[in-house]
Amino acid sequence: MEKKMKSLVPILHPSQVVNHGISQRVIDDALGSLSNFFESAMEEKKIFLSDDVKKPVRFGTSRSNGKVSRDFIKLYANPIEDWIGLWPHDPTDFRENVGKYASEVRRLGIDIMGAVTESLGLSPTYLRNSLEQGMHILVANTYPQCSPTSKILGLPPHTDHSIITFLLESTSGLEIMDFTDSSAWKSIPAVKGTLKVIVGSHLEVLSNGMYKSVFHRATPSPRLSRVSVASFLSLRMGETVEPAVELVDEEHPQKYRATSLDEFFNHLSSNEERPYIDCLKI
């Protein structure tokens, strides 16, 4: 175990996954239904308008430099049969198309997390039961076409709260901060049919810092509007995540305190200025 802990290099950048088993039709149908939802009348979308960060279905708008920078819809998706009846029903294929993508990306995520925990020297089933019963939240975003000179950000710099996040994009817009290159912002191009895998803060905690959450932001396209879908896989709302005991010893002391998804939402609602992950460091 000690040898594995020493040899693992912290993962700082998102990975792109191909041959993931989700068909291009499922991807295109999900993006198409989401695009149609965002293009629908505001009266339809306002039904889901809320400032409650814990609401299972929530529509909202963000602003940057005084202008609208994105619209978003947040959807609880596990168990999907408990939540899908609350999702938008306009367009009429929304629940079917987005629901099918949600189920398939969750399956993929649980499989990939088996490889992640195994890379830490843990069992590939270490988190399986917790993730199968855990939270799956989809956040779909639309970003308007915008000139680079406007200095508008679709999403400001942040790390994800999740164990792991899967990002699907209609066009490029993800930028990450490369701390190995003078903290430069670098664009990660969108490749048709691929998904980006982003390490979240809760995986950083679980791995005791052996995996690092990705500091990233979203930028609008100067050529066309952009739609993205982030799939956040986490433990249950009140279930705590903390460094695995197998990864803590005298040479590798515990670096993070225990936390939960519920605590993250409380942090999001507070006026705390420090990044969430910084609040967890010991």
Side-chain angles (χ1 to χ4, degrees):
M1 176 60 65
E2 182 178 348
K3 182 177 180 180
K4 288 186 178 181
M5 286 197 289
K6 285 183 176 181
S7 62
L8 182 65
V9 177
I11 303 300
L12 300 174
H13 298 163
S15 302
Q16 299 213 59
V17 181
V18 297
N19 299 324
H20 41 63
I22 304 177
S23 72
Q24 191 62 48
R25 179 173 181 177
V26 168
I27 288 173
D28 291 342
D29 286 351
L31 288 174
S33 292
L34 287 164
S35 294
N36 290 337
F37 168 78
F38 286 124
E39 291 170 2
S40 64
M42 182 57 72
E43 287 72 19
E44 296 291 333
K45 295 179 285 192
K46 279 185 176 179
I47 298 171
F48 306 101
L49 192 64
S50 175
D51 291 327
D52 181 0
V53 298
K54 294 183 181 179
K55 193 169 184 180
V57 180
R58 177 185 174 221
F59 173 76
T61 296
S62 302
R63 304 185 74 86
S64 175
N65 288 336
K67 296 182 179 180
V68 173
S69 57
R70 71 160 181 152
D71 288 345
F72 68 88
I73 182 81
K74 184 191 78 174
L75 307 165
Y76 282 14
N78 187 50
I80 195 165
E81 59 271 16
D82 289 355
W83 303 114
I84 198 167
L86 301 177
W87 290 10
H89 55 77
D90 185 14
T92 55
D93 59 7
F94 185 97
R95 294 176 180 176
E96 178 182 358
N97 290 344
V98 180
K100 185 177 294 186
Y101 173 76
S103 296
E104 296 202 19
V105 77
R106 178 175 168 271
R107 169 198 54 77
L108 173 67
I110 291 173
D111 288 345
I112 285 182
M113 277 308 303
V116 171
T117 55
E118 193 169 22
S119 76
L120 293 166
L122 306 171
S123 166
T125 61
Y126 183 83
L127 278 184
R128 190 172 190 91
N129 288 339
S130 292
L131 286 175
E132 286 178 344
Q133 300 175 39
M135 294 291 292
H136 178 199
I137 300 174
L138 294 183
V139 178
N141 310 280
T142 183
Y143 305 92
Q145 177 184 356
C146 192
S147 168
T149 59
S150 67
K151 298 182 179 179
I152 289 177
L153 283 177
L155 272 176
H158 65 285
T159 59
D160 292 342
H161 64 271
S162 58
I163 294 282
I164 196 167
T165 302
F166 290 85
L167 181 66
L168 172 65
E169 308 171 277
S170 64
T171 190
S172 300
L174 174 67
E175 292 187 349
I176 64 162
M177 180 168 282
D178 189 347
F179 293 101
T180 66
D181 185 13
S182 303
S183 296
W185 285 107
K186 295 189 174 180
S187 177
I188 308 297
V191 179
K192 187 177 178 65
T194 67
L195 299 173
K196 294 183 175 68
V197 184
I198 301 174
V199 172
S201 295
H202 284 180
L203 181 52
E204 181 172 340
V205 170
L206 176 77
S207 68
N208 204 32
M210 297 173 77
Y211 281 92
K212 298 294 186 184
S213 51
V214 177
F215 196 58
H216 60 287
R217 66 185 186 183
T219 58
S221 168
R223 297 183 296 106
L224 67 169
S225 61
R226 172 177 177 256
V227 175
S228 70
V229 191
S231 300
F232 302 97
L233 271 64
S234 305
L235 306 189
R236 286 172 292 186
M237 184 68 76
E239 186 174 357
T240 57
V241 58
E242 58 189 334
V245 295
E246 298 88 344
L247 304 180
V248 177
D249 55 28
E250 290 186 3
E251 190 173 347
H252 308 89
Q254 183 172 338
K255 298 178 180 178
Y256 307 86
R257 63 173 179 82
T259 186
S260 67
L261 181 58
D262 188 58
E263 182 185 355
F264 165 74
F265 280 130
N266 291 336
H267 174 90
L268 196 61
S269 300
S270 73
N271 294 319
E272 174 62 61
E273 294 183 357
R274 288 185 300 163
Y276 173 59
I277 188 64
D278 289 349
C279 298
L280 307 178
K281 294 178 179 178
I282 297 174

